Amino acid sequence: MSETPKLVLFQCQWCLFAPADQEWVDTQLPENIHLAKVPCTGRINPLYLLNAVQSGADGVMVSGCLPEQCHFKTGNIAARRQLEEFSDYLNHIGYEQDRIRFLWLDLQDRGVIQKELAAFEAQITALGPAHNLATRVAETVGGANA
Amino acid sequence: MSGFTDSNALSERVKAIPGGDMLMMCYSCGTCTSKCMIQTKLESSYNPRRLIREAVFNMDDAAFADKTIWLCTACDLCYPACPQKIHISGVINAVKALAVESGKKTPYQVAKVDELTCVACGLCVKICPYEAISLVEKRVAFRGTIPVASVDQGKCMACGMCTAACRSTSIRLAEDYNDAELIDTLLSWLGTERVSS
Amino acid sequence: MVDAARQPLIEVKTFTEVEKVEGYVGNFVVTLREKTKYVRADRCNGCGACTKACPVEIPNYFEMNLAPRKAAYIPMSQAVPLIYNIDMDACIHCYKCVEACGALEAIDFSMEDKLVEQEIGAIVVATGFSHFDPTPMTEYGYGRFPNVITAMEMERLNNSAGPTNGALIRPSDGKSPKQIAIINCVGSRDKRYNPSCSNFCCMYAIKNALLLKQMHPDTEISIYYIDIRTPSKGYEEFYDRARESGIRFIQGRPSEITEDPDTHQLFISSEDITLGKVIEREYDMVMLNQAAIPQPDQNHMSSVLNVAQSPGGWFMEYHPKLRPIDSPTDGIFFAGACQGPKDIPASVAQGSAAASRASRILHSDSWQIEPTVAVVWPDRCVSAKGQACGICARACPYGAIDYTKGLAAEVITAKCHGCGACVGECPHDSITQLHYTDAQVLAQIRTLLAVEPEKKILAFRCQWCSYGGADLAGTSHFEYSANERGLRVMCSARMDADLIYEAYRLGAGAILYSGCHPQDCHYITGQVVGAKRAARLEKIFERMQMSPGRFRVEWISAAEGDKYARVINEMQASLDAIPEDVLKAEIERLRPEMAKKLTKLDEIPGVAQALVQVDFIVNEMVGKEKVA
Ligand SMILES: Cc1cc2nc3c(=O)[nH]c(=O)nc-3n(C[C@H](O)[C@H](O)[C@H](O)COP(=O)(O)OP(=O)(O)OC[C@H]3O[C@@H](n4cnc5c(N)ncnc54)[C@H](O)[C@@H]3O)c2cc1C
Ligand code: SF4
Ligand code: SF4
Ligand code: SF4
Ligand code: SF4
Ligand code: SF4
C-alpha cells in the first residue's frame, strides 16, 4: 500500500486562460491536492509556505503567469524572487528543494496544469513523505498569521 | 451628449491626457475585451471596448459609472493585441483620472496600513507595482508623530504584494480575501488523514 | 492560360523573368531571362516517366506544401507548356530520370538560362499579389497548431484536384471537421502588419463557407469578423444567402486560439460585440483569412519597370480616379492585384482595360504626350563643353535624360513627363521646359510683384496638389489673406532656386514653397527633388538672417483646402509681426545678396525672347526622329 502525497497548489487566479482548465482546478482537483487560490502569486506570503511545510505538506506547487503576462505587472517576478529565496532557506533546514515547484503558465497553454500536477505528484511520491519539518498539527497550533 | 469638437467633451479631455490620445482610432473589434480575463474571471460587466466607446461618444456618466475603469490593472496584455495599436490601459487610465478628478472613488477594496504596528521599513513602497505607497510623517495614536506607510486609494489595485512583503504584517487587504482564512483552511486540510490508495 | 497559349497572336513565356526594361513608349527593349527547365521543349512529350523515376521528394509549393512532389515535376496539371522540369535545388544527380526518359533524350543537364532581348510596344504588368504569413501572430498558433490553416491551404484542401482529391480533412488526424471557424482580417486592417483592407477576403470567407456547407451540409461554420464588406453588385445578396444557410457570423475579432494538446481541438476566445460578452467556442479546424500583400519582389520590379509604389507597396497608378490603369510611365499599364488587392471581377475589368489601353499604342504611328516637356539648349549645356555634370539626368524621375560627358545632355522626349525637375536643378540654366520656361515664369513673378511686393505672399504651387488645395480652399470659401499671389508650376521640383531669389530680389514679402506630400507626388520622385532643394534654401535664408516666416515650405494635398488657407493665414500673421520699416530694411539688405545668387539672371531670356525660345523648342522637337 503506497501512500499518496499531500500536495498544496497555490494558484494565481489569472494564470489559467482556458475556462475549462480553471474549472478543472476548481472542481476536479484530486483529493490529495489542496487548492489555495490567490489573486496573484505576488500575494503569497512566505508564511503561507512555512505553514504548509510545517503542517505536513509533502510538496508545494506555485503556479503563476509568465513574467510579461502578470495581471499586476510585476507580481510574478516579485513572488519568484521572494519565494525562491525562501525555498532555499527551507532546503537548508531540511525541506528538499524538489518538493517546491514553481510553474509559469502561458496564456495559450491548455491542459498543461493537469500534466504538471501529475508529474509533480510522481516526483513527490518518489521522494516519499516529508516528515522532518512537520513539527506541529493544525489542531494544536493556530495559524501563525491568523 | 456634447459635440465632438468641444474641448470640454469627454473624448477631448481623454485625448489630452498622455496615453489617451489614440482613442478615436478604435474600431470596436473587441480583441481587447476577450484578451483581458477580467470579464470571465471577475466582473461580467467589464468591457474595455465599451468603455472606449463611451468615451468616444462623450458619455461621461456612463463612463464614470463603468466598473472597467477601476478594475483595469494596466497589465497591458491587450495592448500588443490591438490591431489599431491603441494603448487601451492608457485610455482607461485617462478616463479613471477624470473620474477621480470629478470626485468618484473606487468601489473596490484597497490596501490598509495598520499604523500601530507599521515600522516604516519601506519594503511595501519598493514592491508596489503601482507606486501607490509612500512613507508619510503622521500623528499616530499612542505613538506620537512618526513616519508610516500610506496608500493612495486612486492608485492601489489590490494586488496584495505589499501584504506579502511586509515583515510586520502591518498592511493588508481585509475584504474578499484574507490571510487568516487561507491559512485556516490550509491547516485544517493538512490536519486531515492522509489519503491512501 | 491554356486558352491564351492557343491564341496564335499570343506568345506565352512561362518560367521567364523580366531582367531589364529600356526604351520608352512604343519602343521598349526588354531583356528576358528564360530560365532553363533542363528538359527540352521540342522533345518532351509529357509522359511523366521522369517523375515516376525520381527518388527525391520535397514539399509541393503549389499544393501549399500539403503534398510532396519530386525533383522532376510539372508545377501543376494546367501548366503551359506541359513540359516537365528538373528542380536543380532538390536534384541529387542520380540521373534516374535520364534513364527513364530513354530514347526521347529530352532531359539535358547541360542546359543554361537564356537572356533574350525583345522589342516591345507596350507593357501590361499583372504580377498579382502574395499572402501574409500568419506565423508571427502567435495568438493564432499558426504553424504550432496543426488544425489552424490558411485560406490558401483551405483552397487546396477543398479542391477536387488538390492533395486530398477534395476530401475535407483536418491535418492532425485526417478526420473530417464538423465545426469550422473562419477568422477574417488576419494581418489586414492591422497596424501591426498591414493597415489596409485586403478587399476580397470578406467575400472569399462567405464563398468558402457556402461552398463547404454545400459539399458538407453537416458542418457548422462560423465566421469571425470586424466588419463584413460586401460593396459590389450582388455581394450583399450573397451574404444574405450565407446567413440563410445557417452560417454563423460572429462580430468580434478573436484574441486567442488555444489548443487541447491531446485532441488538437481548437478553442477560439472572442468578444461577441453585439452581446458584449466574451465567448469561447470549440472547433475542429480554423481557417485564417490572411491578408493580401504585395509580391515579395515588388520593390525589385518597380525599379526594373521604373514605376512608383503606393504606401503599402502596391504599384502606383497615374491617378487614382482618372487614370487608374496607367502607370506614371507611358506605355506601362497595370492589371489586377499588383496595383492593389482586388477580386477577380475587378482584376478582369482592369485587365481588359489595360489591354485596350495598350492596343492604342500598338495601333498608332505617333503618340501624344503632355506638351510640357523639357528641352536642352545644346549650346549652353556645360557637358558639351567637356565639364562633368549630369545633374539633370540624376534629377529626372523617369530616366528620360541621356547624359554622356562631352556631349550635350539630351532629353528623350517620349519619356519626359514634364515635371521640370531637371530644369529646376540645372545650375547653368541650360535646360528648360515648354510652357514653363524661365522667361514665362519670371514674367509672372514680375507681374505679381509689380505693386507693393513687400506686402505680397508669393505662393509657388504645384499643379497636382497644392494648386488643387488652393482651389478647394476657394470653392469651399475658406477665407485666406488677400495678399496671397498664387503661381503654378507642374511640380515642386520645378521651383528653381533662381526663381525664388529673383522674387526676393524684387522685394517679395514672403514666399510659400508648396507641393504634394511625398507619397502623392505625380512624378514618382519629383517631390523628393523639390523637398531637398527647399531644405537647402531654408538653410541659405537662415544664414542670410531672413526673418522667420518669410520662407515657408509646406506639403499640401488637393484635399487639404483648409490647410492651404491656414498656412497662408499663418504666413500673413508672421508677415504682420515684422514691423514695416524692419521688413523694408531687410529687403534692401538682402537685395544685393539675392542678386549675387543670380549671376546668370542676365542670361535668362527676357519675356520678349520667350517666343523665340518657344520656336526653338518646337523646331527642336519636330526635328526629332525618335518621337514615337
Ligand atoms: C484564398 C483566396 C481565395 C480567393 N477567392 C476569390 C473568389 O472566390 N472570387 C474572387 O473574385 N476573388 C478571389 N480571390 C482573389 C483573387 O485571387 C484575385 O482577385 C486574383 O487572383 C487577382 O488576379 P491577378 O491576375 O491580378 O493576380 P494573381 O492571380 O496573383 O496572378 C499573378 C501572376 O503573376 C505571376 N508573377 C508574379 N510576379 C511575376 C514576375 N515578376 N514575372 C512573371 N510573372 C510573375 C504569378 O506567378 C501569378 O501567376 C481569392 C484570393 C485568395 C487569396
Ligand atoms: S482591440 Fe483596439 S481596436 Fe479593438 S476594440 Fe480594443 S481598443 Fe478598440
Ligand atoms: S491592461 Fe487592463 S484592459 Fe488590458 S488586459 Fe490588462 S487589465 Fe485588461
Ligand atoms: S495592494 Fe498592490 S497596488 Fe495596493 S498598495 Fe499594495 S502593492 Fe500597491
Ligand atoms: S475584405 Fe473583409 S476580411 Fe478582408 S481585410 Fe477587408 S474587412 Fe478584413
Ligand atoms: S544639368 Fe544642365 S548643364 Fe548639366 S548636363 Fe544637364 S543640361 Fe547640361
Side-chain angles (χ1 to χ4, degrees):
Chain A
M1 196 166 99
S2 77
E3 269 194 315
T4 315
K6 284 189 158 191
L7 307 179
V8 179
L9 168 66
F10 288 101
Q11 188 228 328
C12 147
Q13 64 168 328
W14 304 104
C15 71
L16 296 168
F17 182 83
D21 284 344
Q22 188 65 62
E23 205 184 305
W24 183 86
V25 169
D26 288 345
T27 62
Q28 274 150 268
L29 216 50
E31 264 181 55
N32 64 318
I33 304 179
H34 176 73
L35 170 66
K37 223 199 243 180
V38 287
C40 174
T41 49
R43 180 75 170 83
I44 300 170
N45 195 312
L47 286 174
Y48 296 5
L49 296 198
L50 189 64
N51 273 289
V53 166
Q54 281 188 319
S55 309
D58 299 314
V60 178
M61 183 184 259
V62 177
S63 101
C65 311
L66 274 185
E68 68 277 19
Q69 293 177 358
C70 177
H71 188 67
F72 293 107
K73 296 185 178 183
T74 53
N76 49 3
I77 308 226
R80 184 62 72 97
R81 208 179 290 137
Q82 166 152 300
L83 298 180
E84 219 152 60
E85 208 170 281
F86 188 67
S87 75
D88 277 351
Y89 162 72
L90 288 176
N91 185 41
H92 180 68
I93 60 172
Y95 193 79
E96 301 93 317
Q97 201 119 48
D98 284 353
R99 294 187 185 275
I100 300 185
R101 168 113 169 75
F102 297 102
L103 187 62
W104 270 341
L105 291 168
D106 186 277
L107 274 187
Q108 227 168 13
D109 283 342
R110 199 180 183 95
V112 172
I113 185 102
Q114 295 87 334
K115 295 199 169 106
E116 290 286 347
L117 277 171
F120 186 55
E121 185 173 325
Q123 178 182 328
I124 300 299
T125 310
L127 281 174
H131 291 309
N132 11 355
L133 288 187
T135 53
R136 58 174 191 193
V137 240
E139 289 86 337
T140 54
V141 184
N145 196 33
Chain B
M1 194 166 84
S2 32
F4 276 102
T5 46
D6 177 359
S7 70
N8 255 330
L10 181 59
S11 54
E12 293 299 324
R13 283 186 289 152
V14 169
K15 263 195 266 179
I17 297 174
D21 42 353
M22 288 273 287
L23 100 146
M24 301 308 272
M25 297 303 292
C26 169
Y27 49 42
S28 245
C29 70
T31 309
C32 49
T33 313
S34 65
K35 193 81 182 192
C36 181
M37 286 179 280
I38 295 179
Q39 180 174 118
T40 43
K41 284 186 186 271
L42 260 192
E43 171 54 58
S44 60
S45 74
Y46 189 85
N47 195 320
R49 178 188 59 79
R50 191 194 48 223
L51 181 78
I52 292 178
R53 199 105 189 112
E54 287 160 353
V56 165
F57 283 126
N58 305 323
M59 299 159 70
D60 304 44
D61 293 344
F64 292 169
D66 198 318
K67 287 181 175 154
T68 305
I69 53 177
W70 307 112
L71 285 172
C72 169
T73 57
C75 70
D76 282 351
L77 280 183
C78 52
Y79 180 30
C82 172
Q84 288 288 75
K85 286 191 171 172
I86 294 168
H87 189 205
I88 296 138
S89 71
V91 177
I92 298 178
N93 260 317
V95 180
K96 174 171 155 180
L98 293 170
V100 170
E101 205 182 282
S102 77
K104 298 277 182 303
K105 272 206 185 83
T106 174
Y108 296 98
Q109 65 168 341
V110 293
K112 278 204 187 74
V113 178
D114 182 346
E115 289 167 352
L116 285 176
T117 55
C118 173
V119 296
C121 65
L123 279 176
C124 58
V125 178
K126 271 201 209 106
I127 204 151
C128 174
Y130 300 95
E131 296 174 0
I133 315 180
S134 51
L135 295 178
V136 293
E137 285 284 330
K138 204 170 166 188
R139 238 198 101 71
V140 177
F142 310 115
R143 298 183 73 189
T145 302
I146 48 159
V148 282
S150 154
V151 177
D152 180 338
Q153 303 219 347
K155 286 184 181 167
C156 172
M157 292 312 307
C159 65
M161 281 164 72
C162 49
T163 71
C166 181
R167 292 289 168 262
S168 65
T169 57
S170 302
I171 189 164
R172 60 183 66 221
L173 289 150
E175 307 143 40
D176 295 351
Y177 179 88
N178 70 70
D179 300 340
E181 216 175 284
L182 181 128
I183 291 183
D184 281 349
T185 43
L186 174 65
L187 292 184
S188 79
W189 182 79
L190 282 168
T192 58
E193 288 296 306
R194 276 170 194 271
V195 193
S196 297
S197 58
Chain C
M1 188 142 76
V2 179
D3 275 353
R6 283 203 199 104
Q7 271 288 332
L9 289 177
I10 298 180
E11 184 192 358
V12 176
K13 280 175 163 304
T14 53
F15 217 37
T16 300
E17 276 175 15
V18 175
E19 293 255 307
K20 203 157 58 167
V21 175
E22 290 166 310
Y24 47 87
V25 53
N27 301 280
F28 291 110
V29 179
V30 176
T31 310
L32 301 169
R33 174 179 295 273
E34 294 180 354
K35 295 199 271 185
T36 175
K37 297 186 159 89
Y38 303 99
V39 174
R40 293 182 52 167
D42 51 340
R43 293 192 186 159
C44 172
N45 66 6
C47 70
C50 50
T51 298
K52 279 195 209 88
C54 178
V56 177
E57 280 203 352
I58 58 163
N60 187 340
Y61 169 79
F62 182 73
E63 299 291 3
M64 298 310 296
N65 302 337
L66 295 169
R69 74 156 164 77
K70 301 292 188 68
Y73 73 108
I74 43 162
M76 55 183 157
S77 51
Q78 304 96 327
V80 171
L82 200 64
I83 289 168
Y84 280 71
N85 185 357
I86 312 289
D87 177 350
M88 238 357 122
D89 295 333
C91 170
I92 54 166
H93 298 273
C94 66
Y95 305 116
K96 290 224 165 71
C97 53
V98 180
E99 238 168 74
C101 190
L104 274 176
E105 291 189 357
I107 299 174
D108 179 355
F109 275 72
S110 70
M111 282 169 81
E112 278 178 1
D113 288 3
K114 261 197 304 199
L115 283 182
V116 291
E117 273 191 3
Q118 210 161 340
E119 285 188 8
I120 302 285
I123 299 173
V124 176
V125 187
T127 49
F129 66 107
S130 184
H131 317 281
F132 171 73
D133 172 4
T135 313
M137 298 179 77
T138 49
E139 62 264 41
Y140 290 164
Y142 177 70
R144 279 183 301 139
F145 304 156
N147 295 329
V148 176
I149 65 169
T150 62
M152 284 304 283
E153 287 164 351
M154 178 64 100
E155 196 72 1
R156 296 314 301 157
L157 273 183
N158 202 22
N159 187 307
S160 54
T164 59
N165 297 322
L168 182 66
I169 56 166
R170 60 182 211 152
S172 72
D173 52 12
K175 290 209 188 101
S176 78
K178 294 288 170 252
Q179 297 275 352
I180 301 178
I182 295 175
I183 301 180
N184 275 3
C185 300
V186 174
S188 29
R189 304 188 65 200
D190 190 331
K191 298 216 158 45
R192 302 168 302 166
Y193 305 103
N194 308 288
S196 51
C197 168
S198 295
N199 177 299
F200 52 69
C201 12
C202 275
M203 282 309 286
Y204 170 67
I206 297 173
K207 181 203 79 170
N208 207 14
L210 270 171
L211 216 60
L212 288 168
K213 195 88 183 160
Q214 278 160 9
M215 292 201 280
H216 316 277
D218 58 334
T219 42
E220 281 210 31
I221 302 164
S222 306
I223 299 179
Y224 287 87
Y225 67 97
I226 307 173
D227 300 293
I228 288 282
R229 299 185 164 175
T230 55
S232 292
K233 190 167 72 176
Y235 287 14
E236 185 65 20
E237 291 76 353
F238 199 59
Y239 181 20
D240 272 346
R241 247 174 66 204
R243 275 198 303 261
E244 234 165 48
S245 73
I247 289 155
R248 228 166 22 195
F249 287 85
I250 302 175
Q251 187 172 21
R253 191 177 165 282
S255 64
E256 199 86 51
I257 299 181
T258 54
E259 187 207 43
D260 184 313
D262 302 320
T263 59
H264 297 295
Q265 287 294 97
L266 299 165
F267 299 81
I268 294 183
S269 170
S270 83
E271 185 188 358
D272 185 321
I273 286 173
T274 27
L275 292 175
K277 289 231 153 26
V278 174
I279 46 168
E280 191 198 63
R281 283 181 197 276
E282 182 176 349
Y283 296 97
D284 302 325
M285 189 151 109
V286 174
M287 184 197 103
L288 305 180
N289 216 343
Q290 70 224 97
I293 56 171
Q295 291 282 14
D297 65 348
Q298 196 113 353
N299 295 347
H300 170 70
M301 284 313 291
S302 97
S303 61
V304 168
L305 295 161
N306 195 32
V307 295
Q309 285 164 285
S310 318
W314 308 100
F315 290 137
M316 185 158 84
E317 61 287 338
Y318 198 103
H319 189 283
K321 295 191 194 96
L322 304 176
R323 292 176 71 176
I325 288 138
D326 305 357
S327 82
T329 302
D330 271 352
I332 300 186
F333 305 94
F334 298 129
C338 62
Q339 176 254 347
K342 51 178 73 67
D343 62 1
I344 294 170
S347 299
V348 169
Q350 198 182 10
S352 309
S356 67
R357 297 288 283 176
S359 66
R360 278 172 66 221
I361 294 175
L362 304 188
H363 289 101
S364 46
D365 301 323
S366 61
W367 192 246
Q368 252 185 27
I369 54 170
E370 295 287 332
T372 53
V373 291
V375 175
V376 178
W377 287 348
D379 52 334
R380 292 178 63 115
C381 173
V382 297
S383 174
K385 295 170 198 151
Q387 269 183 42
C389 182
I391 292 173
C392 52
R394 284 196 293 279
C396 179
Y398 299 91
I401 298 181
D402 262 349
Y403 162 74
T404 319
K405 194 183 159 194
L407 296 178
E410 195 182 348
V411 177
I412 304 160
T413 312
K415 270 181 134 175
C416 172
H417 281 65
C419 61
C422 53
V423 191
E425 285 294 283
C426 176
H428 308 282
D429 294 323
S430 312
I431 188 165
T432 191
Q433 183 186 14
L434 209 58
H435 295 280
Y436 290 91
T437 62
D438 285 339
Q440 284 168 305
V441 182
L442 279 173
Q444 291 182 61
I445 293 176
R446 284 170 184 151
T447 311
L448 294 174
L449 296 176
V451 191
E452 295 193 305
E454 71 284 357
K455 295 213 168 113
K456 301 292 184 302
I457 300 168
L458 186 64
F460 284 84
R461 311 167 181 162
C462 93
Q463 148 92 12
W464 305 100
C465 296
S466 52
Y467 194 90
D471 230 15
L472 185 65
T475 51
S476 315
H477 298 277
F478 294 139
E479 273 184 36
Y480 59 82
S481 166
N483 292 330
E484 187 257 19
R485 293 292 179 274
L487 183 151
R488 176 173 67 176
V489 289
M490 293 309 280
C491 175
S492 56
R494 174 65 184 94
M495 296 167 193
D496 199 327
D498 286 354
L499 302 175
I500 314 277
Y501 296 138
E502 173 65 357
Y504 280 128
R505 193 188 64 82
L506 291 171
I511 293 178
L512 172 67
Y513 188 111
S514 71
C516 304
H517 293 280
Q519 71 273 17
D520 295 342
C521 178
H522 211 68
Y523 299 108
I524 313 181
T525 51
Q527 192 269 357
V528 177
V529 175
K532 272 195 196 141
R533 188 186 310 129
R536 276 200 311 270
L537 286 170
E538 275 177 324
K539 278 213 191 83
I540 291 171
F541 295 143
E542 205 182 297
R543 236 177 288 132
M544 288 183 179
Q545 292 180 337
M546 183 185 275
S547 299
R550 285 190 62 205
F551 183 66
R552 182 148 172 187
V553 183
E554 283 292 345
W555 312 117
I556 302 170
S557 84
E560 292 176 324
D562 55 334
K563 181 171 177 186
Y564 190 84
R566 177 171 55 76
V567 166
I568 296 297
N569 288 335
E570 283 170 10
M571 290 183 74
Q572 183 63 53
S574 16
L575 205 53
D576 290 344
I578 311 171
E580 203 182 325
D581 49 333
V582 176
L583 178 65
K584 281 194 169 149
E586 181 174 310
I587 290 171
E588 288 314 321
R589 173 172 65 82
L590 292 181
R591 208 187 295 280
E593 289 203 44
M594 297 294 173
K596 233 192 290 164
K597 296 256 173 210
L598 282 165
T599 45
K600 295 208 172 53
L601 186 72
D602 303 338
E603 297 173 26
I604 295 175
V607 184
Q609 284 171 273
L611 285 175
V612 183
Q613 189 187 359
V614 168
D615 281 347
F616 168 82
I617 292 164
V618 171
N619 288 337
E620 182 70 7
M621 272 185 67
V622 172
K624 266 200 184 148
E625 289 298 323
K626 270 197 184 167
V627 179

